[in-house]
Amino acid sequence: MQHDDHLIEAKHLLSELVAFPSISADGNVAITDFLAAALQASGARIWTEPDATGQKLNLFATIGPDAPAGVILSGHTDVVPVADQPWSTDPFTLTERDGRLYGRGSCDMKGFIAACVTMAPAFARRALKVPVHFAFTYDEEIGCFGAQALTASLVARGLRPAAAIIGEPTMMQLIDGHKGCYEYTTWITGREGHGSSPDLGVNAVEYAARFALKLIELRERLKTMAPDDCPFDPPHTTINPGLLSGGSAHNIIPGKARIDWEMRPVQASDADFVKDEIARFVNDTLLPAMQGVDPGCTIQTETVAEVAGLVPMPDNPARDLVTELTGANGAGLVPFGTEAGLFQAIGIPSVIYGPGAIAQAHKPDEYLAVEQLAQCLRFLDRLGARLERGAVAGAL
Ligand SMILES: [Zn+2]
């Protein structure tokens, strides 16, 4: 088939994918069943795995030899909500105008998925020496929970693909790094009392303030812990206390307080350091003081999301592969998180390389330029030809 035919088919498939309103909270079973059927019809071997609720599905599909290696094409099937956004067209009806395809998820990131599935029959027609895998996940937008489950499954199944390409929108620019993004809410429960007798209560706001000061102290220490030549901006792990609330009136000892905070680690060891330091401070200093007054006092930290960073590596076969296929001149960094770090964490070299601009993601009138979709299809065609030839530098 010619490139033009691929493009017509990919646009049609994208219109079908956009018509599934797969907002994270609502689940992605329908769109995943649809993609599974399409890949199976193209000759792929597939498996799906639900989450605990049964409302969400991961899909993994393979074309080519039954080998542990191969190249993963990774995307998420969930999208962010459209509520309260001023769209000019129906967000779930793909609308082409002036070389752009408008619709929720067109750029983030159903366009990439449409391109991958459009090319599946072409992959299947080739005598691939190295398999190509499709990994389509749930809940990327609310914490990468699908990819966490999927990467655990790959390990359990003994699958160890040699490279992963995450097709998040980078305008088809090669990306090999981003910081992690770890978000938490810490709830502090003290004991209420009258403001005139501070010693008879446990002031939750006071302990929240001490907790926040600890975060700020750790933030300063992290500045000295970054690896040499850390490429990120700023070049070290950061912490931000983003919300601090509690109490009701000037003469009441507050019984409850809350801190929302995040860290953006440049390396996994920094995240471990912060978690260890916080746990020690809470267990050795804050809780004994609080519970000395009232044993019912607690400090509980809820994990909102922990999205692993993608650490730029000196050796990265995924980067070498995309560089070879595109002639890319080096790799860059992005300021947003993706599922790539989760693949890297289980030992699969990863890059981010996909159609569309992140500036359009999550916005009203989100769009994917037709030209970007076409460029992605041409890339996947070259990838198929490359996998037909066999291993790349012994890595695949
Ligand atoms: Zn995305």
Side-chain angles (χ1 to χ4, degrees), residues 186-189 207-208 210-212 214-215 218 259 261 274-291 297-301:
T186 298
W187 304 90
I188 295 171
T189 304
Y207 283 94
R210 292 175 68 180
F211 189 97
K214 185 70 181 179
L215 292 177
L218 293 173
I259 305 176
W261 56 285
V274 171
K275 288 202 239 184
D276 288 349
E277 287 288 320
I278 289 289
R280 199 182 355 257
F281 182 61
V282 165
N283 293 323
D284 296 355
T285 303
L286 298 185
L287 279 178
M290 297 169 75
Q291 292 175 345
C297 293
T298 57
I299 296 178
Q300 277 161 334
T301 294

PDB file of all heavy atoms in Angstrom, residues 186-189 207-208 210-212 214-215 218 259 261 274-291 297-301:
ATOM      1  N   THR A 186      -0.640  14.706  52.433  1.00  0.00           N
ATOM      2  CA  THR A 186      -0.380  14.273  53.813  1.00  0.00           C
ATOM      3  C   THR A 186      -1.475  14.851  54.719  1.00  0.00           C
ATOM      4  O   THR A 186      -1.733  16.062  54.699  1.00  0.00           O
ATOM      5  CB  THR A 186       1.012  14.741  54.269  1.00  0.00           C
ATOM      6  OG1 THR A 186       1.999  14.138  53.424  1.00  0.00           O
ATOM      7  CG2 THR A 186       1.270  14.341  55.720  1.00  0.00           C
ATOM      8  N   TRP A 187      -2.132  13.962  55.457  1.00  0.00           N
ATOM      9  CA  TRP A 187      -3.222  14.339  56.363  1.00  0.00           C
ATOM     10  C   TRP A 187      -2.706  14.277  57.790  1.00  0.00           C
ATOM     11  O   TRP A 187      -2.156  13.250  58.211  1.00  0.00           O
ATOM     12  CB  TRP A 187      -4.408  13.378  56.212  1.00  0.00           C
ATOM     13  CG  TRP A 187      -4.934  13.276  54.809  1.00  0.00           C
ATOM     14  CD1 TRP A 187      -4.534  12.396  53.844  1.00  0.00           C
ATOM     15  CD2 TRP A 187      -5.947  14.079  54.206  1.00  0.00           C
ATOM     16  NE1 TRP A 187      -5.235  12.601  52.679  1.00  0.00           N
ATOM     17  CE2 TRP A 187      -6.116  13.634  52.872  1.00  0.00           C
ATOM     18  CE3 TRP A 187      -6.740  15.147  54.661  1.00  0.00           C
ATOM     19  CZ2 TRP A 187      -7.034  14.203  51.996  1.00  0.00           C
ATOM     20  CZ3 TRP A 187      -7.654  15.708  53.790  1.00  0.00           C
ATOM     21  CH2 TRP A 187      -7.801  15.242  52.479  1.00  0.00           C
ATOM     22  N   ILE A 188      -2.901  15.352  58.523  1.00  0.00           N
ATOM     23  CA  ILE A 188      -2.435  15.415  59.905  1.00  0.00           C
ATOM     24  C   ILE A 188      -3.648  15.531  60.825  1.00  0.00           C
ATOM     25  O   ILE A 188      -4.490  16.426  60.650  1.00  0.00           O
ATOM     26  CB  ILE A 188      -1.473  16.602  60.091  1.00  0.00           C
ATOM     27  CG1 ILE A 188      -0.222  16.320  59.243  1.00  0.00           C
ATOM     28  CG2 ILE A 188      -1.134  16.805  61.571  1.00  0.00           C
ATOM     29  CD1 ILE A 188       0.731  17.450  59.138  1.00  0.00           C
ATOM     30  N   THR A 189      -3.768  14.591  61.741  1.00  0.00           N
ATOM     31  CA  THR A 189      -4.875  14.599  62.684  1.00  0.00           C
ATOM     32  C   THR A 189      -4.339  14.830  64.090  1.00  0.00           C
ATOM     33  O   THR A 189      -3.563  14.014  64.609  1.00  0.00           O
ATOM     34  CB  THR A 189      -5.638  13.256  62.645  1.00  0.00           C
ATOM     35  OG1 THR A 189      -6.073  13.020  61.299  1.00  0.00           O
ATOM     36  CG2 THR A 189      -6.855  13.298  63.564  1.00  0.00           C
ATOM     37  N   TYR A 207       1.813  21.155  63.356  1.00  0.00           N
ATOM     38  CA  TYR A 207       2.575  20.007  62.853  1.00  0.00           C
ATOM     39  C   TYR A 207       2.659  20.005  61.330  1.00  0.00           C
ATOM     40  O   TYR A 207       3.665  19.571  60.755  1.00  0.00           O
ATOM     41  CB  TYR A 207       1.989  18.696  63.405  1.00  0.00           C
ATOM     42  CG  TYR A 207       2.413  18.494  64.852  1.00  0.00           C
ATOM     43  CD1 TYR A 207       1.600  18.919  65.902  1.00  0.00           C
ATOM     44  CD2 TYR A 207       3.654  17.956  65.148  1.00  0.00           C
ATOM     45  CE1 TYR A 207       2.016  18.797  67.222  1.00  0.00           C
ATOM     46  CE2 TYR A 207       4.081  17.824  66.458  1.00  0.00           C
ATOM     47  CZ  TYR A 207       3.258  18.237  67.496  1.00  0.00           C
ATOM     48  OH  TYR A 207       3.693  18.115  68.789  1.00  0.00           O
ATOM     49  N   ALA A 208       1.626  20.534  60.692  1.00  0.00           N
ATOM     50  CA  ALA A 208       1.689  20.673  59.229  1.00  0.00           C
ATOM     51  C   ALA A 208       2.793  21.649  58.844  1.00  0.00           C
ATOM     52  O   ALA A 208       3.531  21.432  57.871  1.00  0.00           O
ATOM     53  CB  ALA A 208       0.344  21.143  58.683  1.00  0.00           C
ATOM     54  N   ARG A 210       5.526  22.265  60.567  1.00  0.00           N
ATOM     55  CA  ARG A 210       6.824  21.596  60.777  1.00  0.00           C
ATOM     56  C   ARG A 210       7.106  20.606  59.649  1.00  0.00           C
ATOM     57  O   ARG A 210       8.255  20.474  59.197  1.00  0.00           O
ATOM     58  CB  ARG A 210       6.840  20.900  62.143  1.00  0.00           C
ATOM     59  CG  ARG A 210       6.823  21.890  63.297  1.00  0.00           C
ATOM     60  CD  ARG A 210       6.705  21.209  64.652  1.00  0.00           C
ATOM     61  NE  ARG A 210       7.914  20.439  64.981  1.00  0.00           N
ATOM     62  CZ  ARG A 210       8.061  19.750  66.121  1.00  0.00           C
ATOM     63  NH1 ARG A 210       7.083  19.756  67.024  1.00  0.00           N
ATOM     64  NH2 ARG A 210       9.163  19.073  66.350  1.00  0.00           N
ATOM     65  N   PHE A 211       6.048  19.918  59.189  1.00  0.00           N
ATOM     66  CA  PHE A 211       6.196  18.995  58.061  1.00  0.00           C
ATOM     67  C   PHE A 211       6.640  19.766  56.812  1.00  0.00           C
ATOM     68  O   PHE A 211       7.558  19.356  56.088  1.00  0.00           O
ATOM     69  CB  PHE A 211       4.862  18.283  57.821  1.00  0.00           C
ATOM     70  CG  PHE A 211       4.913  17.154  56.826  1.00  0.00           C
ATOM     71  CD1 PHE A 211       5.038  15.834  57.236  1.00  0.00           C
ATOM     72  CD2 PHE A 211       4.820  17.405  55.452  1.00  0.00           C
ATOM     73  CE1 PHE A 211       5.078  14.791  56.321  1.00  0.00           C
ATOM     74  CE2 PHE A 211       4.863  16.377  54.523  1.00  0.00           C
ATOM     75  CZ  PHE A 211       4.994  15.059  54.964  1.00  0.00           C
ATOM     76  N   ALA A 212       6.003  20.912  56.574  1.00  0.00           N
ATOM     77  CA  ALA A 212       6.341  21.721  55.391  1.00  0.00           C
ATOM     78  C   ALA A 212       7.785  22.229  55.474  1.00  0.00           C
ATOM     79  O   ALA A 212       8.507  22.249  54.474  1.00  0.00           O
ATOM     80  CB  ALA A 212       5.364  22.887  55.255  1.00  0.00           C
ATOM     81  N   LYS A 214      10.207  20.753  56.919  1.00  0.00           N
ATOM     82  CA  LYS A 214      11.070  19.602  56.621  1.00  0.00           C
ATOM     83  C   LYS A 214      11.198  19.426  55.106  1.00  0.00           C
ATOM     84  O   LYS A 214      12.292  19.170  54.582  1.00  0.00           O
ATOM     85  CB  LYS A 214      10.493  18.327  57.258  1.00  0.00           C
ATOM     86  CG  LYS A 214      11.372  17.114  57.112  1.00  0.00           C
ATOM     87  CD  LYS A 214      12.619  17.266  57.966  1.00  0.00           C
ATOM     88  CE  LYS A 214      13.559  16.087  57.830  1.00  0.00           C
ATOM     89  NZ  LYS A 214      14.767  16.287  58.658  1.00  0.00           N
ATOM     90  N   LEU A 215      10.078  19.574  54.407  1.00  0.00           N
ATOM     91  CA  LEU A 215      10.137  19.472  52.945  1.00  0.00           C
ATOM     92  C   LEU A 215      11.093  20.514  52.367  1.00  0.00           C
ATOM     93  O   LEU A 215      11.870  20.229  51.447  1.00  0.00           O
ATOM     94  CB  LEU A 215       8.735  19.670  52.343  1.00  0.00           C
ATOM     95  CG  LEU A 215       7.684  18.586  52.619  1.00  0.00           C
ATOM     96  CD1 LEU A 215       6.348  19.002  52.014  1.00  0.00           C
ATOM     97  CD2 LEU A 215       8.122  17.235  52.045  1.00  0.00           C
ATOM     98  N   LEU A 218      14.683  19.518  52.985  1.00  0.00           N
ATOM     99  CA  LEU A 218      15.101  18.455  52.063  1.00  0.00           C
ATOM    100  C   LEU A 218      15.318  19.016  50.663  1.00  0.00           C
ATOM    101  O   LEU A 218      16.239  18.609  49.951  1.00  0.00           O
ATOM    102  CB  LEU A 218      14.057  17.336  52.032  1.00  0.00           C
ATOM    103  CG  LEU A 218      13.911  16.543  53.333  1.00  0.00           C
ATOM    104  CD1 LEU A 218      12.733  15.575  53.224  1.00  0.00           C
ATOM    105  CD2 LEU A 218      15.203  15.780  53.644  1.00  0.00           C
ATOM    106  N   ILE A 259      -1.525  18.801  53.729  1.00  0.00           N
ATOM    107  CA  ILE A 259      -0.490  19.360  52.848  1.00  0.00           C
ATOM    108  C   ILE A 259      -0.476  18.553  51.554  1.00  0.00           C
ATOM    109  O   ILE A 259      -0.342  17.329  51.592  1.00  0.00           O
ATOM    110  CB  ILE A 259       0.922  19.259  53.471  1.00  0.00           C
ATOM    111  CG1 ILE A 259       0.946  19.913  54.846  1.00  0.00           C
ATOM    112  CG2 ILE A 259       1.957  19.884  52.564  1.00  0.00           C
ATOM    113  CD1 ILE A 259       2.286  19.739  55.527  1.00  0.00           C
ATOM    114  N   TRP A 261       1.796  18.011  48.316  1.00  0.00           N
ATOM    115  CA  TRP A 261       3.170  18.333  47.919  1.00  0.00           C
ATOM    116  C   TRP A 261       3.631  17.405  46.808  1.00  0.00           C
ATOM    117  O   TRP A 261       3.044  16.352  46.583  1.00  0.00           O
ATOM    118  CB  TRP A 261       4.120  18.280  49.116  1.00  0.00           C
ATOM    119  CG  TRP A 261       4.143  16.980  49.879  1.00  0.00           C
ATOM    120  CD1 TRP A 261       3.189  16.524  50.752  1.00  0.00           C
ATOM    121  CD2 TRP A 261       5.159  15.980  49.852  1.00  0.00           C
ATOM    122  NE1 TRP A 261       3.558  15.313  51.265  1.00  0.00           N
ATOM    123  CE2 TRP A 261       4.770  14.944  50.747  1.00  0.00           C
ATOM    124  CE3 TRP A 261       6.386  15.860  49.180  1.00  0.00           C
ATOM    125  CZ2 TRP A 261       5.545  13.803  50.962  1.00  0.00           C
ATOM    126  CZ3 TRP A 261       7.160  14.724  49.395  1.00  0.00           C
ATOM    127  CH2 TRP A 261       6.730  13.708  50.280  1.00  0.00           C
ATOM    128  N   VAL A 274      14.099  11.083  49.925  1.00  0.00           N
ATOM    129  CA  VAL A 274      13.050  11.945  50.492  1.00  0.00           C
ATOM    130  C   VAL A 274      12.052  11.116  51.292  1.00  0.00           C
ATOM    131  O   VAL A 274      11.677  11.475  52.415  1.00  0.00           O
ATOM    132  CB  VAL A 274      12.339  12.730  49.367  1.00  0.00           C
ATOM    133  CG1 VAL A 274      11.096  13.451  49.908  1.00  0.00           C
ATOM    134  CG2 VAL A 274      13.294  13.732  48.733  1.00  0.00           C
ATOM    135  N   LYS A 275      11.651   9.993  50.736  1.00  0.00           N
ATOM    136  CA  LYS A 275      10.657   9.166  51.445  1.00  0.00           C
ATOM    137  C   LYS A 275      11.214   8.649  52.769  1.00  0.00           C
ATOM    138  O   LYS A 275      10.512   8.634  53.788  1.00  0.00           O
ATOM    139  CB  LYS A 275      10.225   8.007  50.547  1.00  0.00           C
ATOM    140  CG  LYS A 275       9.353   8.464  49.391  1.00  0.00           C
ATOM    141  CD  LYS A 275       8.533   7.303  48.890  1.00  0.00           C
ATOM    142  CE  LYS A 275       8.774   7.008  47.457  1.00  0.00           C
ATOM    143  NZ  LYS A 275       7.914   5.937  46.961  1.00  0.00           N
ATOM    144  N   ASP A 276      12.484   8.230  52.763  1.00  0.00           N
ATOM    145  CA  ASP A 276      13.106   7.742  54.004  1.00  0.00           C
ATOM    146  C   ASP A 276      13.201   8.862  55.043  1.00  0.00           C
ATOM    147  O   ASP A 276      12.899   8.657  56.219  1.00  0.00           O
ATOM    148  CB  ASP A 276      14.515   7.192  53.722  1.00  0.00           C
ATOM    149  CG  ASP A 276      14.470   5.879  52.970  1.00  0.00           C
ATOM    150  OD1 ASP A 276      13.364   5.302  52.859  1.00  0.00           O
ATOM    151  OD2 ASP A 276      15.532   5.441  52.486  1.00  0.00           O
ATOM    152  N   GLU A 277      13.642  10.038  54.601  1.00  0.00           N
ATOM    153  CA  GLU A 277      13.809  11.158  55.530  1.00  0.00           C
ATOM    154  C   GLU A 277      12.469  11.582  56.126  1.00  0.00           C
ATOM    155  O   GLU A 277      12.371  11.874  57.322  1.00  0.00           O
ATOM    156  CB  GLU A 277      14.465  12.347  54.811  1.00  0.00           C
ATOM    157  CG  GLU A 277      15.934  12.158  54.504  1.00  0.00           C
ATOM    158  CD  GLU A 277      16.802  12.221  55.756  1.00  0.00           C
ATOM    159  OE1 GLU A 277      16.535  13.059  56.639  1.00  0.00           O
ATOM    160  OE2 GLU A 277      17.750  11.414  55.854  1.00  0.00           O
ATOM    161  N   ILE A 278      11.454  11.626  55.295  1.00  0.00           N
ATOM    162  CA  ILE A 278      10.127  12.022  55.776  1.00  0.00           C
ATOM    163  C   ILE A 278       9.604  10.992  56.771  1.00  0.00           C
ATOM    164  O   ILE A 278       9.085  11.334  57.842  1.00  0.00           O
ATOM    165  CB  ILE A 278       9.150  12.167  54.579  1.00  0.00           C
ATOM    166  CG1 ILE A 278       9.508  13.401  53.757  1.00  0.00           C
ATOM    167  CG2 ILE A 278       7.702  12.242  55.058  1.00  0.00           C
ATOM    168  CD1 ILE A 278       9.194  14.719  54.429  1.00  0.00           C
ATOM    169  N   ALA A 279       9.753   9.718  56.433  1.00  0.00           N
ATOM    170  CA  ALA A 279       9.247   8.673  57.329  1.00  0.00           C
ATOM    171  C   ALA A 279       9.962   8.742  58.673  1.00  0.00           C
ATOM    172  O   ALA A 279       9.336   8.617  59.733  1.00  0.00           O
ATOM    173  CB  ALA A 279       9.446   7.295  56.685  1.00  0.00           C
ATOM    174  N   ARG A 280      11.270   8.981  58.637  1.00  0.00           N
ATOM    175  CA  ARG A 280      12.029   9.058  59.887  1.00  0.00           C
ATOM    176  C   ARG A 280      11.577  10.260  60.726  1.00  0.00           C
ATOM    177  O   ARG A 280      11.383  10.162  61.935  1.00  0.00           O
ATOM    178  CB  ARG A 280      13.529   9.147  59.581  1.00  0.00           C
ATOM    179  CG  ARG A 280      14.365   8.763  60.790  1.00  0.00           C
ATOM    180  CD  ARG A 280      15.872   8.861  60.622  1.00  0.00           C
ATOM    181  NE  ARG A 280      16.369   9.187  59.320  1.00  0.00           N
ATOM    182  CZ  ARG A 280      16.900   8.300  58.478  1.00  0.00           C
ATOM    183  NH1 ARG A 280      16.943   7.040  58.803  1.00  0.00           N
ATOM    184  NH2 ARG A 280      17.378   8.693  57.326  1.00  0.00           N
ATOM    185  N   PHE A 281      11.403  11.394  60.070  1.00  0.00           N
ATOM    186  CA  PHE A 281      10.990  12.613  60.778  1.00  0.00           C
ATOM    187  C   PHE A 281       9.604  12.435  61.402  1.00  0.00           C
ATOM    188  O   PHE A 281       9.365  12.798  62.556  1.00  0.00           O
ATOM    189  CB  PHE A 281      10.992  13.786  59.787  1.00  0.00           C
ATOM    190  CG  PHE A 281      10.631  15.113  60.386  1.00  0.00           C
ATOM    191  CD1 PHE A 281      11.394  15.678  61.405  1.00  0.00           C
ATOM    192  CD2 PHE A 281       9.523  15.818  59.921  1.00  0.00           C
ATOM    193  CE1 PHE A 281      11.070  16.910  61.953  1.00  0.00           C
ATOM    194  CE2 PHE A 281       9.179  17.045  60.465  1.00  0.00           C
ATOM    195  CZ  PHE A 281       9.952  17.607  61.482  1.00  0.00           C
ATOM    196  N   VAL A 282       8.700  11.838  60.646  1.00  0.00           N
ATOM    197  CA  VAL A 282       7.340  11.628  61.149  1.00  0.00           C
ATOM    198  C   VAL A 282       7.354  10.648  62.330  1.00  0.00           C
ATOM    199  O   VAL A 282       6.777  10.911  63.387  1.00  0.00           O
ATOM    200  CB  VAL A 282       6.416  11.123  60.022  1.00  0.00           C
ATOM    201  CG1 VAL A 282       5.109  10.558  60.577  1.00  0.00           C
ATOM    202  CG2 VAL A 282       6.129  12.248  59.029  1.00  0.00           C
ATOM    203  N   ASN A 283       8.047   9.521  62.149  1.00  0.00           N
ATOM    204  CA  ASN A 283       7.989   8.456  63.162  1.00  0.00           C
ATOM    205  C   ASN A 283       8.831   8.750  64.399  1.00  0.00           C
ATOM    206  O   ASN A 283       8.472   8.348  65.504  1.00  0.00           O
ATOM    207  CB  ASN A 283       8.424   7.121  62.550  1.00  0.00           C
ATOM    208  CG  ASN A 283       7.413   6.641  61.514  1.00  0.00           C
ATOM    209  OD1 ASN A 283       6.213   6.814  61.694  1.00  0.00           O
ATOM    210  ND2 ASN A 283       7.901   6.065  60.427  1.00  0.00           N
ATOM    211  N   ASP A 284       9.958   9.460  64.213  1.00  0.00           N
ATOM    212  CA  ASP A 284      10.875   9.669  65.345  1.00  0.00           C
ATOM    213  C   ASP A 284      10.637  11.001  66.056  1.00  0.00           C
ATOM    214  O   ASP A 284      10.987  11.139  67.229  1.00  0.00           O
ATOM    215  CB  ASP A 284      12.340   9.624  64.878  1.00  0.00           C
ATOM    216  CG  ASP A 284      12.707   8.246  64.344  1.00  0.00           C
ATOM    217  OD1 ASP A 284      11.859   7.337  64.442  1.00  0.00           O
ATOM    218  OD2 ASP A 284      13.826   8.096  63.814  1.00  0.00           O
ATOM    219  N   THR A 285      10.071  11.984  65.351  1.00  0.00           N
ATOM    220  CA  THR A 285       9.963  13.321  65.940  1.00  0.00           C
ATOM    221  C   THR A 285       8.506  13.772  66.100  1.00  0.00           C
ATOM    222  O   THR A 285       8.071  14.074  67.212  1.00  0.00           O
ATOM    223  CB  THR A 285      10.736  14.339  65.072  1.00  0.00           C
ATOM    224  OG1 THR A 285      12.090  13.905  64.960  1.00  0.00           O
ATOM    225  CG2 THR A 285      10.695  15.725  65.703  1.00  0.00           C
ATOM    226  N   LEU A 286       7.769  13.822  64.997  1.00  0.00           N
ATOM    227  CA  LEU A 286       6.429  14.418  65.075  1.00  0.00           C
ATOM    228  C   LEU A 286       5.446  13.536  65.836  1.00  0.00           C
ATOM    229  O   LEU A 286       4.776  14.000  66.773  1.00  0.00           O
ATOM    230  CB  LEU A 286       5.887  14.708  63.662  1.00  0.00           C
ATOM    231  CG  LEU A 286       6.686  15.712  62.823  1.00  0.00           C
ATOM    232  CD1 LEU A 286       5.968  15.984  61.495  1.00  0.00           C
ATOM    233  CD2 LEU A 286       6.900  17.027  63.571  1.00  0.00           C
ATOM    234  N   LEU A 287       5.337  12.272  65.443  1.00  0.00           N
ATOM    235  CA  LEU A 287       4.320  11.416  66.069  1.00  0.00           C
ATOM    236  C   LEU A 287       4.537  11.217  67.575  1.00  0.00           C
ATOM    237  O   LEU A 287       3.565  11.303  68.348  1.00  0.00           O
ATOM    238  CB  LEU A 287       4.248  10.059  65.356  1.00  0.00           C
ATOM    239  CG  LEU A 287       3.425  10.042  64.056  1.00  0.00           C
ATOM    240  CD1 LEU A 287       3.462   8.653  63.428  1.00  0.00           C
ATOM    241  CD2 LEU A 287       1.981  10.475  64.292  1.00  0.00           C
ATOM    242  N   PRO A 288       5.783  10.978  68.040  1.00  0.00           N
ATOM    243  CA  PRO A 288       5.947  10.841  69.498  1.00  0.00           C
ATOM    244  C   PRO A 288       5.478  12.082  70.251  1.00  0.00           C
ATOM    245  O   PRO A 288       4.848  11.967  71.303  1.00  0.00           O
ATOM    246  CB  PRO A 288       7.459  10.628  69.654  1.00  0.00           C
ATOM    247  CG  PRO A 288       7.889  10.030  68.355  1.00  0.00           C
ATOM    248  CD  PRO A 288       7.024  10.680  67.318  1.00  0.00           C
ATOM    249  N   ALA A 289       5.759  13.271  69.697  1.00  0.00           N
ATOM    250  CA  ALA A 289       5.332  14.503  70.369  1.00  0.00           C
ATOM    251  C   ALA A 289       3.807  14.619  70.375  1.00  0.00           C
ATOM    252  O   ALA A 289       3.193  14.980  71.388  1.00  0.00           O
ATOM    253  CB  ALA A 289       5.946  15.715  69.676  1.00  0.00           C
ATOM    254  N   MET A 290       3.180  14.309  69.269  1.00  0.00           N
ATOM    255  CA  MET A 290       1.715  14.408  69.179  1.00  0.00           C
ATOM    256  C   MET A 290       1.041  13.366  70.060  1.00  0.00           C
ATOM    257  O   MET A 290       0.104  13.656  70.804  1.00  0.00           O
ATOM    258  CB  MET A 290       1.265  14.196  67.714  1.00  0.00           C
ATOM    259  CG  MET A 290       1.784  15.245  66.742  1.00  0.00           C
ATOM    260  SD  MET A 290       1.502  14.758  65.013  1.00  0.00           S
ATOM    261  CE  MET A 290      -0.251  15.066  64.845  1.00  0.00           C
ATOM    262  N   GLN A 291       1.535  12.134  69.958  1.00  0.00           N
ATOM    263  CA  GLN A 291       0.868  11.036  70.664  1.00  0.00           C
ATOM    264  C   GLN A 291       1.171  11.045  72.161  1.00  0.00           C
ATOM    265  O   GLN A 291       0.467  10.386  72.934  1.00  0.00           O
ATOM    266  CB  GLN A 291       1.259   9.700  70.014  1.00  0.00           C
ATOM    267  CG  GLN A 291       0.676   9.596  68.600  1.00  0.00           C
ATOM    268  CD  GLN A 291       1.116   8.359  67.826  1.00  0.00           C
ATOM    269  OE1 GLN A 291       2.079   7.693  68.218  1.00  0.00           O
ATOM    270  NE2 GLN A 291       0.419   8.062  66.740  1.00  0.00           N
ATOM    271  N   CYS A 297      -3.573  10.647  67.744  1.00  0.00           N
ATOM    272  CA  CYS A 297      -3.086  11.534  66.672  1.00  0.00           C
ATOM    273  C   CYS A 297      -2.369  10.728  65.585  1.00  0.00           C
ATOM    274  O   CYS A 297      -1.672   9.755  65.876  1.00  0.00           O
ATOM    275  CB  CYS A 297      -2.122  12.561  67.254  1.00  0.00           C
ATOM    276  SG  CYS A 297      -2.918  13.720  68.371  1.00  0.00           S
ATOM    277  N   THR A 298      -2.532  11.161  64.333  1.00  0.00           N
ATOM    278  CA  THR A 298      -1.924  10.435  63.214  1.00  0.00           C
ATOM    279  C   THR A 298      -1.366  11.396  62.155  1.00  0.00           C
ATOM    280  O   THR A 298      -1.806  12.550  62.055  1.00  0.00           O
ATOM    281  CB  THR A 298      -2.941   9.523  62.501  1.00  0.00           C
ATOM    282  OG1 THR A 298      -4.036  10.336  62.053  1.00  0.00           O
ATOM    283  CG2 THR A 298      -3.474   8.432  63.417  1.00  0.00           C
ATOM    284  N   ILE A 299      -0.437  10.882  61.361  1.00  0.00           N
ATOM    285  CA  ILE A 299       0.025  11.559  60.138  1.00  0.00           C
ATOM    286  C   ILE A 299       0.011  10.502  59.041  1.00  0.00           C
ATOM    287  O   ILE A 299       0.693   9.480  59.152  1.00  0.00           O
ATOM    288  CB  ILE A 299       1.446  12.128  60.302  1.00  0.00           C
ATOM    289  CG1 ILE A 299       1.444  13.212  61.390  1.00  0.00           C
ATOM    290  CG2 ILE A 299       1.943  12.697  58.970  1.00  0.00           C
ATOM    291  CD1 ILE A 299       2.819  13.793  61.657  1.00  0.00           C
ATOM    292  N   GLN A 300      -0.818  10.735  58.040  1.00  0.00           N
ATOM    293  CA  GLN A 300      -0.924   9.748  56.976  1.00  0.00           C
ATOM    294  C   GLN A 300      -0.659  10.396  55.618  1.00  0.00           C
ATOM    295  O   GLN A 300      -1.232  11.446  55.309  1.00  0.00           O
ATOM    296  CB  GLN A 300      -2.311   9.097  56.984  1.00  0.00           C
ATOM    297  CG  GLN A 300      -2.366   7.963  57.991  1.00  0.00           C
ATOM    298  CD  GLN A 300      -3.761   7.564  58.392  1.00  0.00           C
ATOM    299  OE1 GLN A 300      -4.697   8.370  58.323  1.00  0.00           O
ATOM    300  NE2 GLN A 300      -3.908   6.330  58.822  1.00  0.00           N
ATOM    301  N   THR A 301       0.194   9.754  54.844  1.00  0.00           N
ATOM    302  CA  THR A 301       0.517  10.275  53.518  1.00  0.00           C
ATOM    303  C   THR A 301      -0.071   9.360  52.456  1.00  0.00           C
ATOM    304  O   THR A 301       0.189   8.160  52.450  1.00  0.00           O
ATOM    305  CB  THR A 301       2.039  10.409  53.346  1.00  0.00           C
ATOM    306  OG1 THR A 301       2.514  11.413  54.248  1.00  0.00           O
ATOM    307  CG2 THR A 301       2.383  10.828  51.927  1.00  0.00           C
TER     308      THR A 301
END
